[in-house]
């Protein structure tokens, strides 16, 4: 069981780092470097059906996309298992007994030692990815939220959620090889926290297990939020998607 837990946690972190790196390289943008560590977080078994949220619509009126303009970043918080990010406009309740969640200090190993609001703000403004939360179950399924600045210094990149996904989706499956075998990544348009957002679904295998991952993009000015869900079943991936609500 411990092996499954660490595998899923590692896949979650790896996919997020690869996605930020892919998009940064494609756009000439900032760095997505982070220092990570093993976390005892959790997924349930069983094979799931393919995602039925792939309404890849060209109608941007349905997408809650607030990209482009320069904004001031401030990090979300986790209080008694309740995650709140007024910056991204989302929240989620992980206070149930089945959940394990990390405090700001525990997340500092993923954020290069940064833990205070000011330290995390400086890290984000410098172009580094910031982990805002990480929670999961003892079986391994987990979810994290990362925010990445789009641009370097005073240079702002106007990148929409759809453009971000388009820059990343093809190379993500290739760079995940070795972590997820036979990885297939596809662009999605999913209902999340009261709005439609673009993202990427990944399906594959790791150490003989089926792995279902979902990365949802939330644009906020010149920053992009990434909600990454990793599970061993499609059903649980959908459940994790519905945990989040709009603030």
């Amino acid at each position: 069981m411990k092996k499954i837990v660490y595998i899923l946690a590692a896949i979650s972190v790896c996919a997020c780092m690869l996605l930020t790196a892919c998009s940064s390289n494609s756009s000439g943008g900032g760095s997505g470097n982070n220092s990570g560590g093993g976390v005892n977080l959790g997924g349930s078994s069983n094979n799931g059906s393919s995602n039925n949220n792939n309404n890849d619509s060209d109608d941007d009126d349905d997408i809650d996309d607030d990209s482009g303009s320069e904004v001031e970043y401030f990090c979300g918080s986790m209080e008694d298992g309740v995650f709140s990010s007024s910056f991204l406009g989302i929240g989620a309740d992980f206070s149930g007994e089945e959940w394990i969640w990390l405090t700001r200090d525990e997340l500092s190993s993923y954020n290069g030692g940064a833990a205070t609001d000011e330290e995390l703000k400086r890290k984000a403004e410098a172009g580094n990815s910031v982990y805002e939360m990480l929670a999961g179950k003892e079986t391994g399924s987990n979810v994290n939220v990362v925010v990445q600045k789009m641009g370097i210094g005073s240079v702002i990149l106007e990148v929409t959620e759809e453009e971000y996904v388009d820059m990343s989706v093809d190379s993500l499956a290739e760079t995940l090889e070795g972590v997820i075998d036979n990885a297939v990544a596809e662009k999605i348009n999913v209902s999340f926290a009261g709005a439609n957002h673009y993202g990427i679904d990944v399906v594959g295998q790791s150490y003989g297990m089926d792995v279902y991952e979902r990365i949802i993009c939330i644009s906020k000015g010149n920053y992009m939020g990434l909600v990454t869900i990793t599970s061993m079943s499609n059903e649980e991936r959908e459940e994790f998607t519905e945990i989040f609500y709009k603030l």
Side-chain angles (χ1 to χ4, degrees):
M1 181 60 69
K2 282 187 176 180
K3 182 177 181 180
I4 294 174
V5 168
Y6 283 107
I7 288 171
L8 291 182
I11 288 172
S12 175
V13 173
C14 182
C16 186
M17 293 176 67
L18 288 172
L19 183 60
T20 56
C22 289
S23 60
S24 296
N25 290 337
S26 298
S27 61
S31 169
N33 294 336
N34 288 284
S35 59
V39 177
N40 192 358
L41 293 177
S44 64
S45 60
N46 231 1
N47 293 341
S49 58
S50 60
N51 174 44
N52 53 12
N53 283 320
N54 297 334
N55 303 319
D56 194 3
S57 171
D58 291 329
D59 186 0
D60 288 340
D61 292 338
D62 295 332
I63 304 297
D64 187 5
D65 195 322
D66 184 25
S67 58
S69 60
E70 185 172 10
V71 297
E72 183 178 4
Y73 172 73
F74 49 93
C75 189
S77 63
M78 180 76 87
E79 299 290 340
D80 297 323
V82 178
F83 173 67
S84 177
S85 174
S86 54
F87 180 76
L88 296 176
I90 61 173
D93 188 348
F94 300 100
S95 61
E97 292 183 358
E98 72 274 21
W99 288 101
I100 304 167
W101 45 271
L102 301 189
T103 65
R104 180 76 69 81
D105 286 340
E106 290 169 331
L107 270 177
S108 65
S109 63
Y110 291 84
N111 287 323
T116 67
D117 287 340
E118 190 58 36
E119 289 171 342
L120 292 166
K121 180 180 179 181
R122 286 199 300 267
K123 183 177 177 67
E125 289 177 343
N128 296 298
S129 300
V130 170
Y131 278 81
E132 293 205 345
M133 64 81 62
L134 176 58
K137 298 185 177 182
E138 290 186 353
T139 49
S141 296
N142 61 86
V143 56
N144 68 64
V145 176
V146 172
V147 175
Q148 177 193 20
K149 184 178 181 181
M150 306 306 295
I152 302 177
S154 61
V155 178
I156 300 173
L157 295 177
E158 295 187 6
V159 180
T160 67
E161 293 175 8
E162 184 172 20
E163 290 170 338
Y164 189 95
V165 168
D166 288 342
M167 287 189 293
S168 308
V169 63
D170 290 337
S171 56
L172 180 61
E174 296 176 6
T175 51
L176 275 172
E177 285 296 337
V179 181
I180 300 180
D181 297 326
N182 305 313
V184 176
E186 67 175 325
K187 175 181 175 181
I188 62 169
N189 175 349
V190 64
S191 176
F192 179 78
N196 283 355
H197 293 280
Y198 282 102
I200 300 174
D201 270 0
V202 180
V203 178
Q205 294 80 40
S206 183
Y207 291 91
M209 304 180 302
D210 291 325
V211 176
Y212 295 82
E213 191 153 55
R214 173 167 293 163
I215 303 171
I216 301 166
C217 298
I218 305 175
S219 62
K220 180 67 176 180
N222 56 321
Y223 288 86
M224 189 68 70
L226 302 173
V227 180
T228 303
I229 297 166
T230 306
S231 178
M232 292 170 64
S233 74
N234 182 66
E235 289 82 359
E236 190 171 52
R237 180 174 63 179
E238 298 296 336
E239 291 174 9
F240 278 32
T241 301
E242 295 173 3
I243 288 174
F244 286 83
Y245 48 80
K246 185 175 183 179
L247 293 181

